[in-house]
């Protein structure tokens, strides 16, 4: 059986990024992946400006020791520059973000100045050249790369592009992801449950977890436990999907037809991982699509999606998936574990005594979505350990409580 780390590496290495590129409005580009480097078309800030409210002066001209009497000769406010030149014992009233006047090289803070009537002020300290002045291009110089090809465009990157006046960006086209669930026992939420039925939550969870990934999802609904229906659905999905995700039907039960169907019409790379939850995970190719058959238990579906499918989707989208963030935390209670497979338990990390403490969220059955209630991390239980003891330091993988995905 592959280790989870080896499986992840193998999956990401086997993925071919999609080729399509499109130019879209920066405002619409959240969560997309840059298809090309974007350079700053201007210096940012575009002019020398004041970092504070105060008085622009020519510090180089002020040689006398404090207190220094100065004459106010004009004003520069944000968006309203002054054409007045400043020299000698002159000062120009200036506000944060306003353009520095010609001749000025420093700003004296408003709170370090006394107005003594008329246009006269007294500065209590001698200004240093450069103080409280933002140089042109000090955030970024014109021509410098602000977004690199393969970067995920988050709100910060988009804000920076916008600050540089970049209204359009070149992004990789969305990855087309087909999602289906398998199982004769499944019913749709809203319908009454028949005997032996349960609601299909996996397809729902997968589609929601993908919501802010750069994907165009295709909901293929539920499939019965039937080999022909499974093959037909896979062929249909492979016609235009880049990634196909199925839930259920990948273990070795009599009703598990997904692996066989993939072997029939595509290729199966591997189907077992030394992981709990999530031992049966079928990974392969159907046509041009990467196929992931996730184990049906709801927690297993989610954990394997987070660990293996998200990086595959990001790699397919031309991005560079990162290793999940592992953070040390002190375990609040014992965890029992059988040696052999790495385990990820759901847990809640809290800040305590200047460090992090983590508590598992109750009985960790892989069917129990309750374990995600209040969870903000996955606790890593190493494969070789026969249990962990309260008080020891463990590694946790942080979850975003907004997107639900790993950080
Ligand atoms: P399977 O992997 O198909 O053997 O399913 C393992 C367990 O997960 C069984 O208890 C299934 O009933 C359950 N299961 C499978 N698919 C889903 C689904 N879409 N939503 C909720 N539970 C599921
Ligand atoms: Mg099943």
């Amino acid at each position: 059986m592959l280790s989870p780390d080896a499986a992840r590496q193998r999956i990401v290495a086997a993925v071919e990024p999609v080729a399509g590129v499109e130019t879209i409005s920066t405002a619409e580009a959240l969560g997309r992946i840059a298809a090309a480097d974007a350079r700053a078309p201007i210096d940012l800030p575009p002019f020398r400006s004041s970092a504070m409210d105060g008085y622009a002066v020519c510090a180089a001209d002020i040689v006398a020791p404090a207190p220094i009497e100065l004459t106010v000769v004009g004003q520069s406010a944000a968006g309203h520059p002054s054409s007045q030149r400043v020299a000698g014992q002159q000062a120009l009233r200036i506000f944060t973000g306003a353009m520095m006047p010609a001749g000025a090289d420093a700003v004296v803070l408003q709170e370090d100045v006394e107005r003594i009537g008329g246009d006269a002020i007294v500065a209590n300290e001698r200004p240093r050249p450069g103080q409280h002045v933002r140089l042109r291009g000090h955030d970024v110089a014109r021509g410098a790369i602000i977004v690199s090809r393969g970067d995920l465009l988050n709100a910060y990157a988009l804000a920076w592009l916008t600050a540089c006046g970049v209204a359009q960006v070149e992004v990789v086209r969305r990855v087309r992801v087909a999602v289906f669930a398998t199982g004769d026992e499944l019913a749709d939420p809203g319908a009454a449950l028949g005997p032996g039925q349960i609601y299909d939550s996996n397809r729902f969870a997968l589609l929601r977890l993908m919501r802010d990934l750069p994907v165009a999802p295709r909901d293929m609904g539920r499939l019965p436990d039937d080999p022909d229906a499974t093959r037909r659905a896979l062929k249909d999905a492979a016609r235009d999907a880049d990634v196909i995700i199925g839930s259920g039907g990948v273990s070795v039960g009599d009703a598990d037809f997904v692996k066989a169907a993939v072997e029939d019409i595509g290729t199966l790379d591997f189907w077992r991982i030394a992981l709990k939850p999530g031992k049966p995970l079928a990974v392969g190719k159907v046509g041009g699509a990467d196929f992931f058959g996730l184990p049906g238990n709801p927690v297993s579906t989610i954990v394997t999606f987070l660990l293996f499918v998200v990086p595959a989707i990001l790699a397919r989208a031309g991005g560079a998936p990162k290793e999940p963030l592992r953070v040390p935390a002190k375990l609040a209670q014992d965890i029992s574990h059988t040696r052999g497979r790495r385990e990820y338990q759901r847990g809640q990390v809290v800040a305590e005594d200047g460090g992090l403490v983590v508590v598992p969220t109750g009985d960790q059955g892989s069917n129990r979505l309750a374990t995600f209630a209040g969870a903000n991390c996955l606790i890593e239980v190493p494969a070789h350990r026969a249990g962990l003891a309260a008080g020891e330091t463990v590694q946790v993988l942080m979850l975003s409580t907004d997107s639900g995905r790993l950080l």
Side-chain angles (χ1 to χ4, degrees):
M1 270 193 286
L2 278 174
S3 77
D5 297 338
R8 181 189 165 90
Q9 277 166 19
R10 184 155 158 171
I11 287 167
V12 170
V15 167
E16 292 275 347
V18 299
V21 162
E22 54 191 355
T23 300
I24 60 171
S25 152
T26 306
E28 300 297 321
L30 189 66
R32 302 293 293 273
I33 293 195
D37 294 350
R39 291 172 185 275
I42 58 165
D43 286 324
L44 185 68
F47 47 86
R48 270 191 335 140
S49 62
S50 176
M52 302 294 274
D53 293 338
Y55 295 85
V57 297
C58 179
D61 281 357
I62 298 171
V63 285
I68 302 144
E69 194 174 325
L70 301 162
T71 307
V72 180
V73 294
Q75 169 169 309
S76 177
H80 302 281
S82 165
S83 55
Q84 179 74 46
R85 213 189 151 79
V86 172
Q89 310 301 297
Q90 293 178 325
L92 191 101
R93 182 77 173 114
I94 198 163
F95 302 97
T96 306
M99 188 189 256
M100 288 290 286
D105 63 0
V107 172
V108 178
L109 296 186
Q110 178 171 306
E111 43 275 48
D112 294 341
V113 161
E114 276 165 57
R115 287 203 91 112
I116 56 170
D119 294 332
I121 59 170
V122 172
N124 300 321
E125 257 174 71
R126 209 175 126 197
R128 267 179 307 103
Q131 74 177 29
H132 308 308
V133 176
R134 294 175 181 154
L135 296 180
R136 175 175 171 156
H138 131 99
D139 190 352
V140 61
R142 178 176 164 188
I145 292 177
I146 46 179
V147 161
S148 300
R149 178 167 170 239
D151 281 358
L152 194 128
L153 297 173
N154 61 17
Y156 311 120
L158 296 182
W160 206 19
L161 286 166
T162 304
C164 292
V166 179
Q168 296 208 303
V169 279
E170 216 184 311
V171 296
V172 180
R173 76 152 167 82
R174 290 183 188 277
V175 173
R176 294 189 276 261
V177 183
V179 179
F180 63 84
T182 67
D184 286 343
E185 74 279 32
L186 300 179
D188 283 328
L193 286 179
Q197 284 196 310
I198 58 166
Y199 291 117
D200 168 14
S201 63
N202 289 345
R203 193 162 43 100
F204 183 91
L206 293 170
L207 290 165
R208 270 45 209 186
L209 283 165
M210 280 194 291
R211 186 155 266 177
D212 53 5
L213 284 173
V215 300
R218 175 178 172 201
D219 182 353
M220 298 194 63
R222 298 184 273 107
L223 301 185
D225 289 317
D226 171 75
D228 288 336
T230 309
R231 270 195 297 269
R232 270 201 308 278
L234 281 175
K235 275 190 190 149
D236 175 17
R239 272 208 298 272
D240 70 346
D242 303 304
V243 175
I244 304 171
I245 309 172
S247 106
V250 288
S251 45
V252 288
D254 288 345
D256 294 331
F257 300 108
V258 173
K259 263 187 2 248
V262 171
E263 278 174 320
D264 264 9
I265 61 167
T267 51
L268 194 64
D269 183 16
F270 60 90
W271 66 278
R272 262 148 50 104
I273 291 187
L275 177 66
K276 182 183 175 185
K279 179 162 77 170
L281 169 73
V283 176
K285 286 245 176 215
V286 181
D290 296 301
F291 174 79
F292 297 92
L294 310 183
N297 272 307
V299 173
S300 313
T301 297
I302 292 173
V303 169
T304 51
F305 176 80
L306 298 176
L307 290 171
F308 306 110
V309 187
V310 171
I313 288 174
L314 290 173
R316 189 91 202 206
K322 293 190 190 67
E323 289 288 318
L325 181 66
R326 280 186 168 75
V327 174
K330 201 163 99 177
L331 192 58
Q333 66 189 57
D334 292 353
I335 287 181
S336 56
H337 181 244
T338 313
R339 279 202 185 101
R341 289 186 282 161
R342 181 188 298 169
E343 183 173 357
Y344 285 110
Q345 297 204 350
R346 278 68 63 214
Q348 188 175 56
V349 163
V350 291
E352 223 174 85
D353 301 333
L356 297 177
V357 172
V358 64
V359 196
T361 50
D363 172 352
Q364 296 281 321
S366 62
N367 59 323
R368 295 195 72 232
L369 285 170
T371 56
F372 277 105
N376 58 8
C377 73
L378 300 177
I379 305 170
E380 190 165 287
V381 187
H384 66 273
R385 295 290 305 272
L388 302 176
E392 70 174 288
T393 297
V394 293
Q395 301 296 313
V396 304
L397 274 52
M398 295 305 298
L399 291 168
S400 155
T401 44
D402 295 340
S403 72
R405 294 208 309 271
L406 290 164
L407 293 185

